[in-house]
Amino acid sequence: MSRGLGDVYKRQVMIKNEVLTKKPFTRVTPTGYLNGKTTSDLSIASYYNNKLEYQILSQADFIREFYPSGHKINSPAFYPNRIKFEEDEKGNKRFFEEKVMRVAFPFQMIITIQQLVHLCGNDIHHELTAAQVNDKLKESFLEFQKGWLDKNMEITFYEFAKSVKITGDGAVVFYMDKGEVGTKVLSFFDGDILYPHTNSITGKMEYFARQYSDYDSEGKELVSWVELWDSKYLYRYRQTKAGLKGAVNKLKEIFGIDGYELESKELHQFEECPVVYLRDKHGACWSFSQSNIDDFELAVSHLCQNNMAYAFPIMLLKGEDVEIKGDMYGAVKAITMGKEDDAGFMNRPESSQSFELQFNTLLKMIFMGSFTVMPPEVKSGDLPGVAIKLIYSPSLEKAMIDCKEFDSSIDTMKRLFIFGYGIERKMSTPFANMKVLSWAEPYVHQNAAELISNLVQAVGGGFLSKESASELSGYGRNNEWDRIMREKKEEQSADLLYQLKSQQQTAKISEENEDETADK
């Protein structure tokens, strides 16, 4: 059973600042690699415990990597400017700094967008898992699907996934406001520092803290806030300069949030901690390609610096009596020289093939390390579905893994939404009896005409129902099959009505003929 903050109150001792703590993001360093002793007798060898060393990263580093303006290449500490000097006739030197060319590319943004497209391109799929589905379950399920779209839960999932991809973690908080359920995405990208605390055995969320600040127009921090959710309450703490006293001080000691005063405490109306949290232990989605990106930008900057040095032709003069006359812009207008003198321009050096090999290798590894695909140039018409899947195979493979990583979060989002939306629509009991399976399906570029053709063949072959084909086509709505059945019933009603009218007209004509015969 999950341990809430009510149980935390009973603890007499709690480590200071336990709430506002989280495991840092790190990258492994090569220190200690292959430092183990060598041996020729394994019978006397013992286990070698070689501890890893890490470089600790902040989530601010991920945001610097996301924006080209914050890249490593733009830092003079990593890529310094050149120091030059001039010497006069007396031998005095005057030093000055020459800025070098710095080139940054938005690789991180490209990688993020492509991974998000393949993860969030399709809406989250929902399916009833009951063995027998009656009309009441169908109505409740349709109401749930409508609510999921009306509350923009697809946008919520996208913002949640975007935060995880860029900053390494993200959270979705569910709340009830005036009887209506709502969600808010929390992300370091928006200034929120997230502190999850889960049960070490079950992995369920026990309590969750969010720290953020209010700033003035000049960017100065005015007030710092901490919002904390447990299985029953939402607590809001406000940072104050003055010391805390009495009961408030006691709460401060229990929670270990030094310098924060309890501002409010209210029920959040959910049966569990209403927070969905996910953390990628590797950090940002481009982390495995970051070193290649840094090397690529450095190589291109060197090339640009080299091109700038040889951008203009260099004049070569031979002789002692050469006189050059130019205009105010430095262009040569006339040259005076003797018979043995000569003038000309040096040939510009061509870029070495090693530069091209270096660029192509780094570029390939950047995209391979992040499972990103550069779209090929298609010279023919529509490609078959298999060819498209093969072209985007790395991105599809990554999206399939991402769907598994996000599956638990999707289940929690669905469970919290069903509970909150059931309260809003006053359908708690029908929603509680409704068993729904939810999962994300990777988006794959595909030939729509080929998909429809395959569905038609599957329905004609008898191993796929028309209702399933309607759902898989991508063109139907949540209640598309109900619309189809309603149209069928309307057509049948129209046919019956036409037949009745035809029979009535036939009977009327027969009666008239009988009357005429009787009169004769």
Side-chain angles (χ1 to χ4, degrees):
M1 184 174 179
S2 175
R3 175 173 57 88
L5 286 182
D7 298 325
V8 177
Y9 282 129
K10 301 176 182 179
R11 297 178 60 183
Q12 299 297 325
V13 180
M14 190 172 188
I15 301 174
K16 185 179 181 181
N17 294 332
E18 182 178 338
V19 171
L20 300 184
T21 56
K22 66 186 298 184
K23 187 177 180 180
F25 291 93
T26 59
R27 285 179 185 162
V28 178
T29 66
T31 304
Y33 181 63
L34 293 180
N35 279 353
K37 297 180 180 180
T38 59
T39 181
S40 58
D41 187 0
L42 292 178
S43 62
I44 61 173
S46 60
Y47 174 73
Y48 173 56
N49 185 15
N50 184 6
K51 294 184 178 180
L52 291 172
E53 289 192 10
Y54 302 89
Q55 179 186 12
I56 297 178
L57 300 176
S58 70
Q59 291 179 281
D61 291 328
F62 299 145
I63 296 181
R64 294 185 185 100
E65 293 171 352
F66 182 73
Y67 290 106
S69 59
H71 282 192
K72 192 176 181 180
I73 191 66
N74 292 321
S75 172
F78 167 70
Y79 185 30
N81 293 322
R82 296 183 177 181
I83 305 298
K84 293 187 175 182
F85 66 91
E86 291 181 350
E87 188 173 356
D88 57 17
E89 298 176 353
K90 297 181 179 180
N92 297 324
K93 295 182 180 180
R94 185 180 62 171
F95 292 88
F96 59 93
E97 184 180 29
E98 178 188 4
K99 292 186 177 180
V100 297
M101 286 289 296
R102 305 175 188 274
V103 182
F105 298 93
F107 284 117
Q108 291 86 347
M109 187 177 297
I110 296 171
I111 294 168
T112 301
I113 290 176
Q114 187 163 132
Q115 291 192 12
L116 286 174
V117 165
H118 289 280
L119 174 62
C120 307
N122 290 323
D123 289 347
I124 295 176
H125 290 255
H126 306 285
E127 181 180 331
L128 282 172
T129 58
Q132 294 181 351
V133 180
N134 52 35
D135 292 338
K136 290 185 178 180
L137 275 178
K138 285 185 176 181
E139 291 177 2
S140 301
F141 183 61
L142 180 59
E143 185 66 30
F144 157 73
Q145 289 181 306
K146 288 181 178 178
W148 184 273
L149 296 178
D150 289 341
K151 298 295 184 179
N152 292 323
M153 292 302 297
E154 296 295 335
I155 305 300
T156 298
F157 177 70
Y158 160 74
E159 295 291 342
F160 171 61
K162 179 181 176 182
S163 175
V164 175
K165 291 291 184 181
I166 296 177
T167 66
D169 69 353
V172 179
V173 174
F174 284 78
Y175 61 86
M176 300 298 298
D177 182 26
K178 299 179 180 178
E180 295 185 358
V181 67
T183 59
K184 181 177 177 60
V185 177
L186 306 180
S187 172
F188 186 84
F189 205 75
D190 300 320
D192 300 316
I193 304 178
L194 311 180
Y195 301 96
H197 297 272
T198 58
N199 186 287
S200 60
I201 304 300
T202 64
K204 294 182 179 181
M205 187 72 67
E206 293 185 345
Y207 55 95
F208 179 88
R210 166 206 183 194
Q211 185 182 29
Y212 65 98
S213 300
D214 295 334
Y215 299 89
D216 61 11
S217 58
E218 297 180 354
K220 295 181 180 180
E221 186 179 11
L222 297 178
V223 182
S224 179
W225 297 88
V226 170
E227 294 177 348
L228 195 146
W229 292 263
D230 67 357
S231 59
K232 191 174 182 180
Y233 293 101
L234 163 61
Y235 306 86
R236 299 189 77 234
Y237 292 88
R238 185 177 187 274
Q239 187 185 45
T240 57
K241 294 181 180 179
L244 305 179
K245 299 179 181 180
V248 175
N249 188 54
K250 184 64 178 177
L251 287 174
K252 181 206 70 172
E253 292 177 358
I254 292 177
F255 286 108
I257 314 178
D258 193 17
Y260 286 88
E261 179 182 358
L262 182 63
E263 187 80 7
S264 64
K265 172 185 174 182
E266 59 187 45
L267 291 169
H268 53 62
Q269 302 182 38
F270 287 86
E271 294 181 334
E272 59 182 296
C273 183
V275 179
V276 182
Y277 176 82
L278 182 63
R279 170 192 172 99
D280 187 344
K281 62 181 179 181
H282 303 300
C285 62
W286 59 80
S287 292
F288 290 105
S289 298
Q290 182 58 42
S291 61
N292 291 329
I293 294 174
D294 292 336
D295 294 339
F296 184 85
E297 292 177 340
L298 180 61
V300 175
S301 298
H302 284 161
L303 178 62
C304 292
Q305 187 70 24
N306 180 74
N307 289 340
M308 187 175 65
Y310 296 99
F312 301 100
I314 300 175
M315 179 172 287
L316 178 63
L317 302 175
K318 296 180 180 180
E320 298 180 357
D321 299 329
V322 180
E323 183 179 353
I324 300 176
K325 294 182 180 180
D327 58 11
M328 60 183 298
Y329 300 105
V332 178
K333 293 298 184 182
I335 301 177
T336 303
M337 64 180 67
K339 293 181 179 181
E340 303 296 332
D341 300 333
D342 190 16
F345 290 96
M346 295 181 62
N347 293 328
R348 182 180 178 182
E350 296 182 358
S351 298
S352 173
Q353 292 183 353
S354 60
F355 264 116
E356 184 178 357
L357 177 61
Q358 181 182 10
F359 294 153
N360 292 337
T361 303
L362 288 173
L363 189 62
K364 181 180 179 181
M365 294 310 302
I366 287 171
F367 288 112
M368 284 186 64
S370 57
F371 294 86
T372 307
V373 177
M374 294 184 66
E377 181 180 355
V378 180
K379 298 181 180 179
S380 60
D382 292 339
L383 294 175
V386 175
I388 296 175
K389 288 183 179 180
L390 288 176
I391 291 173
Y392 286 93
S393 177
S395 296
L396 178 58
E397 292 167 0
K398 175 62 177 173
M400 293 170 66
I401 298 300
D402 285 342
C403 289
K404 300 299 182 184
E405 296 284 349
F406 282 84
D407 188 67
S408 178
S409 299
I410 293 173
D411 290 340
T412 307
M413 288 178 62
K414 172 204 63 182
R415 184 173 66 251
L416 291 172
F417 178 80
I418 287 178
F419 182 84
Y421 195 63
I423 295 176
E424 176 181 335
R425 302 297 297 174
K426 295 179 174 59
M427 298 176 62
S428 296
T429 301
F431 276 15
N433 296 330
M434 181 178 60
K435 305 300 180 182
V436 180
L437 177 64
S438 301
W439 74 94
E441 185 174 338
Y443 173 79
V444 185
H445 303 286
Q446 57 188 358
N447 189 330
E450 182 182 4
L451 174 63
I452 297 300
S453 176
N454 292 338
L455 291 176
V456 171
Q457 293 180 14
V459 173
F463 58 86
L464 185 68
S465 67
K466 293 181 178 179
E467 183 175 0
S468 298
S470 174
E471 296 174 355
L472 295 173
S473 67
Y475 294 100
R477 297 295 182 264
N478 291 329
N479 58 341
E480 190 66 32
W481 185 246
D482 292 336
R483 296 181 182 183
I484 294 174
M485 297 303 297
R486 185 170 62 250
E487 291 177 357
K488 278 288 185 182
K489 291 179 180 179
E490 291 175 355
E491 290 178 3
Q492 292 175 357
S493 299
D495 291 341
L496 289 173
L497 182 61
Y498 176 77
Q499 293 176 5
L500 289 173
K501 288 183 178 180
S502 299
Q503 292 174 0
Q504 290 176 358
Q505 290 179 358
T506 302
K508 185 176 181 181
I509 292 173
S510 299
E511 290 177 358
E512 290 177 353
N513 292 334
E514 291 177 357
D515 292 341
E516 291 178 357
T517 303
D519 292 339
K520 290 179 179 181

